[in-house]
Amino acid sequence: MTGIYMMLMNLPPYLRSKIDNVELIMMCKKSTMKKHGWKKVLHFDGMELDLIHDTLEDLKRLEVDGIEVIINNESFKFKGSLIAGVGDNLGQHEIAEMSPESYRECALEAERTGTMVKGVRSLSCYDSSLHHVKVCGPGLPSCIDHDLFGGIVPKDMYLMITYFVRKRWFKYGLLNYRLNDFKFDYDPSICIPEIEANRSKKLVDTSSQMRRLMIIFPVAMEDHVKNEEDPVWKMLLVLRDVCCYANAPGCSNEQLCVFRDHLTEYLELRLELFKNIPILRKHEFLMHLVQQIYHFGPMESLYTRRFESKHKYFKRIIAILQNFKNVPLFLAKKHELYQCSFTNQFASLAEAPKKVEYNPETMIALKVWSCDRSIKRAVLISRELTTWTVLKEATKKLGYHGVQLVLEGDGTVIDDDQILQYFKDQIFISLKDAEEWSPPIYRSPTASSTMTDSPPYSPISVEKDS
């Protein structure tokens, strides 16, 4: 299955990283995509369920006319455009109508001269339909997860580690022990698999593990470096700097110039020190990273990792339900029903309510806590208390959707508005679905770290009669 997804770049990074905020645009069989090509699939003009679907025409209307949105009884017109097509190299070459063995420079030359060159089959659907994105504008940025941490680093690190082992700087056993024993607070759950000589001539790790390896390797093995002027050791340090710049959350213009120098130095060392081993096509893609960072910003915003995680959702549905009849339509319907539960997730961002002033005659403040007592908030609502309004206001403050209101002291369920009025001076807990009330846990006043289910007691002094 081939999935086309959309991510709204106006959202802050912590929201863009959530899979639920990645929207499905189209689901198509891979055989259909190979048979008809991207242009015909995106310009689908057939009738199905009385709907005409044309993705590129929708994007063009969004660029020119925009859409009208009503917020607080006020009409706003929003315009948007496609700024980048994210994917691995194979998928991007298919969109760009280029053969797998060609380079993006071929499409750039065809765009400048207006003629076809070797490797370019035809003009891309992006270039012929949209105004603000071009295949080599750049409009198809590289994914550093695939190019750097999934291609270059595993191959070149294997060559450098093999070189160090042959020089008798260290052995594989010591290397594996040092790497996994290194205290790394960033993400201690990611362990590096055992490194050893293999026939594939590369390290078999995930991109997260390769990122961790590049950061800690020079520090973990520094005391076993016998010659700091060794060119292969210098090459490893330069590659580490390249990875740090490519994965940085932001870069200034001066840092981009330094990044370009590091890229040039690394490629020159790679060609000089390992002449018998040809470079990968991804090595040449590295030289475009500086231009892409200057154009799009940090490359961490253009990972394909989140889209691949979204695609796993559909694979999991097929594996569980085993329904293979009209799979694209079936998956799209399932996904839209699931997304309906997140319709109002941006209500706090889109709505712009006026500032509410506190009036003690008409409003009241209540204390609402989370079940584990880690989040404690106060909500301001009208004196006409209802359990629904309390849960609604608590959802905005606590950050999750509560379905039941109970007393914090003993867990009494508040399911009536009149009872809520009676206990309005108490502390409430908003419970999630399938969450149960539990008594508070107090830490013992002794030096030990044991936990007790009862509050700490104070000693009672007993006086005897004389």
Side-chain angles (χ1 to χ4, degrees):
M1 294 300 297
T2 299
I4 303 176
Y5 307 96
M6 179 201 72
M7 180 183 293
L8 190 62
M9 297 300 291
N10 297 78
L11 296 178
Y14 74 93
L15 287 178
R16 289 202 305 265
S17 63
K18 295 184 178 180
I19 301 178
D20 299 328
N21 297 334
V22 179
E23 301 293 341
L24 175 67
I25 300 299
M26 181 185 297
M27 186 66 65
C28 179
K29 290 183 178 180
K30 198 170 182 179
S31 57
T32 305
M33 189 71 69
K34 286 184 176 181
K35 180 179 179 181
H36 300 285
W38 282 88
K39 282 187 179 181
K40 290 186 177 180
V41 171
L42 293 177
H43 278 291
F44 176 70
D45 201 17
M47 296 295 295
E48 184 174 350
L49 299 178
D50 297 329
L51 294 175
I52 299 178
H53 182 72
D54 193 330
T55 307
L56 294 178
E57 286 298 326
D58 291 343
L59 290 174
K60 289 169 67 175
R61 283 195 294 269
L62 186 61
E63 286 183 351
V64 179
D65 302 328
I67 58 174
E68 188 176 352
V69 179
I70 299 177
I71 302 176
N72 293 338
N73 298 324
E74 188 174 356
S75 178
F76 296 90
K77 179 169 284 189
F78 294 92
K79 292 185 178 181
S81 180
L82 181 69
I83 63 170
V86 182
D88 57 5
N89 292 320
L90 185 59
Q92 288 184 342
H93 278 80
E94 291 179 356
I95 294 177
E97 299 294 339
M98 293 187 292
S99 57
E101 65 273 4
S102 63
Y103 294 89
R104 295 189 179 97
E105 288 76 9
C106 298
L108 183 59
E109 183 180 349
E111 182 182 358
R112 289 175 178 175
T113 60
T115 59
M116 291 294 103
V117 297
K118 184 179 179 180
V120 179
R121 294 190 287 264
S122 63
L123 193 62
S124 172
C125 55
Y126 285 163
D127 294 335
S128 59
S129 301
L130 304 178
H131 298 288
H132 299 285
V133 61
K134 299 294 180 182
V135 169
C136 299
L140 300 178
S142 302
C143 175
I144 61 175
D145 260 9
H146 287 88
D147 291 352
L148 189 61
F149 297 108
I152 295 174
V153 174
K155 191 75 174 180
D156 291 357
M157 278 298 295
Y158 179 86
L159 296 175
M160 290 184 279
I161 291 175
T162 304
Y163 172 85
F164 296 144
V165 172
R166 290 176 180 175
K167 287 285 185 178
R168 299 184 182 275
W169 286 14
F170 48 77
K171 295 183 179 181
Y172 288 111
L174 176 63
L175 174 63
N176 292 319
Y177 172 77
R178 285 287 188 90
L179 292 178
N180 287 298
D181 190 61
F182 191 85
K183 303 301 180 182
F184 193 49
D185 294 334
Y186 176 72
D187 193 354
S189 62
I190 302 177
C191 62
I192 300 176
E194 185 176 354
I195 298 176
E196 59 183 1
N198 55 62
R199 295 182 179 180
S200 62
K201 305 296 181 182
K202 66 177 183 178
L203 302 181
V204 185
D205 296 341
T206 63
S207 59
S208 300
Q209 292 167 341
M210 293 309 307
R211 190 178 293 109
R212 175 187 173 99
L213 174 64
M214 287 306 306
I215 293 176
I216 68 177
F217 184 89
V219 182
M221 307 304 297
E222 184 180 9
D223 56 336
H224 286 269
V225 177
K226 298 182 180 180
N227 181 14
E228 294 183 356
E229 300 299 325
D230 189 284
V232 178
W233 176 253
K234 288 185 177 181
M235 175 182 167
L236 186 144
L237 297 179
V238 174
L239 178 58
R240 183 179 185 271
D241 292 338
V242 168
C243 294
C244 291
Y245 277 107
N247 202 45
C251 283
S252 63
N253 291 335
E254 293 78 9
Q255 290 172 330
L256 287 179
C257 296
V258 177
F259 183 28
R260 182 185 289 107
D261 295 338
H262 282 305
L263 285 173
T264 305
E265 182 182 1
Y266 172 71
L267 291 177
E268 290 176 352
L269 289 173
R270 172 65 173 81
L271 291 171
E272 179 183 353
L273 298 176
F274 300 97
K275 297 179 181 180
N276 298 329
I277 302 176
I279 63 173
L280 303 174
R281 193 176 300 269
K282 296 178 180 179
H283 283 91
E284 303 188 19
F285 292 160
L286 276 183
M287 294 306 300
H288 301 283
L289 280 181
V290 176
Q291 180 189 7
Q292 292 171 3
I293 293 176
Y294 182 81
H295 187 81
F296 296 109
M299 298 304 292
E300 64 177 7
S301 302
L302 301 172
Y303 283 165
T304 60
R305 196 185 321 164
R306 305 315 299 156
F307 298 102
E308 290 174 351
S309 299
K310 183 76 173 184
H311 203 63
K312 287 182 180 179
Y313 164 78
F314 297 98
K315 292 181 178 180
R316 188 165 58 249
I317 290 179
I318 291 296
I320 295 174
L321 300 182
Q322 295 291 310
N323 182 5
F324 300 100
K325 293 184 178 180
N326 201 349
V327 177
L329 180 62
F330 167 70
L331 292 178
K333 285 186 175 181
K334 280 287 184 181
H335 176 262
E336 291 306 309
L337 290 174
Y338 174 72
Q339 289 294 108
C340 287
S341 60
F342 303 100
T343 303
N344 298 323
Q345 60 181 330
F346 301 129
S348 59
L349 298 176
E351 296 177 358
K354 297 181 179 179
K355 183 178 180 181
V356 180
E357 296 183 358
Y358 174 68
N359 186 354
E361 296 181 357
T362 60
M363 309 195 74
I364 186 173
L366 299 179
K367 296 180 180 179
V368 184
W369 295 0
S370 61
C371 185
D372 58 356
R373 280 83 171 176
S374 62
I375 307 176
K376 302 178 181 180
R377 297 290 186 267
V379 297
L380 193 64
I381 55 179
S382 63
R383 283 190 173 273
E384 298 178 359
L385 293 178
T386 62
T387 55
W388 182 83
T389 55
V390 175
L391 288 172
K392 179 182 177 182
E393 295 298 324
T395 298
K396 299 178 181 179
K397 292 294 187 72
L398 299 178
Y400 63 83
H401 180 65
V403 297
Q404 194 175 45
L405 204 64
V406 300
L407 293 180
E408 189 273 337
D410 55 5
T412 302
V413 178
I414 306 298
D415 54 0
D416 188 87
D417 297 341
Q418 294 181 355
I419 297 177
L420 178 64
Q421 290 277 0
Y422 183 81
F423 289 103
K424 61 184 178 181
D425 296 329
Q426 301 292 323
I427 300 175
F428 300 96
I429 286 181
S430 176
L431 297 178
K432 303 178 188 177
D433 189 19
E435 194 173 36
E436 296 182 357
W437 175 87
S438 59
I441 300 178
Y442 296 91
R443 191 174 294 276
S444 176
T446 59
S448 63
S449 59
T450 58
M451 307 294 288
T452 60
D453 291 338
S454 59
Y457 62 88
S458 57
I460 302 176
S461 61
V462 180
E463 297 182 357
K464 295 181 179 181
D465 296 335
S466 57

